[in-house]
Amino acid sequence: MDSAEYERKIAHRFAEFDQDGNGYIDRADFSKAAAALLAEFGTTARSDKGQALYSGAEAFWQGMAGIADVDGDQRVSRQEFITGAVKRLRDNPRRFAEIARPFLHAVVAIADEDGAGVTRAGAERVLRVLGVEPDRCTAVAAALDSDGDDRIGEDRILEAFAAYYVTSEPDGS
């Protein structure tokens, strides 16, 4: 992949995190994503699952800020994201997964409506709410369900999430 294509891809990934479109990733973006997920799945913020999601979002924000917020202004610019959240983690995507784990664990708890794992439909809903292009949600959810049983486990979600955000491959999932 050439440099321009890589930059375009990373800019797109940055935009998915920048929920309010202000050009920075900050705590508010993580709170907004949590609120949107709660609304999508009809879960109240004061419930145990809602509180876990907000706590996970805060932990995810703190982890990302710790890696990428070089100037300490409590927001991550596009350049900081490229340098910190991508270049520093490219060789160790599991580190990114560990930063995201509390948030993703809470997302799984909300999206797993029957206790048997997240369905493809549930994964599609999560992806759409988190800013993945609607026409890609179905394909991504299908790829996550690699064994075709209509259930996606948390470990698979963590692995795919980390690979997507730190890979330089054209269609990292």
Side-chain angles (χ1 to χ4, degrees):
M1 170 182 310
D2 68 26
S3 180
E5 184 179 356
Y6 177 70
E7 290 289 322
R8 180 194 56 77
K9 201 163 201 41
I10 297 307
H12 180 75
R13 291 171 185 165
F14 174 84
E16 289 171 348
F17 273 113
D18 183 13
Q19 293 278 305
D20 59 14
N22 69 354
Y24 294 93
I25 301 169
D26 58 20
R27 179 177 279 111
D29 293 311
F30 286 83
S31 293
K32 183 175 180 176
L37 284 164
L38 292 175
E40 175 68 24
F41 287 93
T43 305
T44 62
R46 292 187 181 197
S47 69
D48 288 344
K49 288 181 179 182
Q51 289 298 298
L53 185 63
Y54 276 111
S55 293
E58 176 63 19
F60 193 3
W61 160 245
Q62 290 293 329
M64 182 178 286
I67 288 172
D69 183 18
V70 178
D71 62 10
D73 66 355
Q74 291 298 301
R75 58 187 191 172
V76 175
S77 69
R78 183 176 174 271
Q79 189 58 49
E80 286 174 321
F81 181 77
I82 290 168
T83 301
V86 178
K87 289 181 181 175
R88 289 184 189 165
L89 298 173
R90 186 181 308 154
D91 294 334
N92 188 0
R94 292 296 297 167
R95 184 169 177 212
F96 193 70
E98 291 308 313
I99 292 167
R101 182 181 293 278
F103 178 70
L104 294 175
H105 179 74
V107 170
V108 167
I110 289 169
D112 180 359
E113 298 180 284
D114 63 5
V118 178
T119 63
R120 281 186 187 184
E124 287 179 43
R125 290 169 66 191
V126 168
L127 291 165
R128 183 180 41 76
V129 168
L130 293 179
V132 174
E133 296 168 2
D135 60 330
R136 291 207 58 214
C137 290
T138 301
V140 171
L144 287 170
D145 180 21
S146 55
D147 63 5
D149 70 351
D150 194 35
R151 300 296 171 166
I152 306 163
E154 185 173 334
D155 287 341
R156 175 67 180 121
I157 291 168
L158 277 167
E159 173 187 301
F161 184 83
Y164 178 74
Y165 281 103
V166 299
T167 186
S168 62
E169 297 305 311
D171 293 314
S173 57

